[in-house]
Amino acid sequence: MAANKSLNDFSEAVSEALQEIAAETFDAIDAGLDKAMHYMRDKLAEVSPEDSGLTRESWEGEGKYKNVRYINNARVNENGIPVVNLLEYGRKGSPFVRKTVEAETENIINIIKGEIEK
């Protein structure tokens, strides 16, 4: 019976340790996503067309949920159409958002990994 108690104690200790590690990793991922979101928002602002500067200034990042981040451009035209959609997908559009996301993917991954490795 003593061996059973020892095994249960061991199992509980390992389980507790794994839960702590998971919580720390979860927090590190969340911190990495925050950094990555700010980085990507700044990169998108840099490559946004500069006519009035309003589109560049309208990039927003949101971290409403754990381990999820959103980046959005809040600027709309007089018809309520998101300006970034027109710039990205319109007839005369240029896919600057897609190109930037693709070009920065490795940097984003490295930012998140950096927080996890701290």
Side-chain angles (χ1 to χ4, degrees):
M1 217 188 306
N4 234 1
K5 182 167 174 32
S6 291
L7 243 89
N8 285 340
D9 290 345
F10 173 77
S11 181
E12 285 178 30
V14 169
S15 179
E16 210 173 282
L18 289 174
Q19 286 175 355
E20 285 177 26
I21 292 167
E24 289 173 13
T25 303
F26 194 81
D27 291 343
I29 291 169
D30 219 39
L33 288 171
D34 279 339
K35 278 188 173 181
M37 176 187 67
H38 293 294
Y39 174 86
M40 195 66 211
R41 186 190 62 206
D42 292 346
K43 288 295 179 184
L44 289 168
E46 283 177 21
V47 299
S48 293
E50 202 175 332
D51 284 344
S52 67
L54 295 175
T55 302
R56 281 183 178 217
E57 297 168 5
S58 297
W59 288 102
E60 302 172 342
E62 185 179 326
K64 191 160 87 172
Y65 305 105
K66 285 285 188 186
N67 282 338
V68 177
R69 297 298 179 273
Y70 297 98
I71 299 172
N72 182 45
N73 192 290
R75 184 166 179 232
V76 295
N77 71 6
E78 62 280 351
N79 297 319
I81 299 170
V83 171
V84 168
N85 287 6
L86 296 172
L87 293 170
E88 185 83 1
Y89 302 109
R91 214 172 336 157
K92 296 179 182 178
S94 174
F96 71 97
V97 173
R98 268 181 289 172
K99 285 180 181 175
T100 304
V101 169
E102 288 171 5
E104 296 297 333
T105 298
E106 194 65 34
N107 291 329
I108 295 298
I109 291 168
N110 288 332
I111 289 169
I112 297 166
K113 278 183 178 179
E115 284 301 305
I116 294 169
E117 292 169 354
K118 274 187 177 178

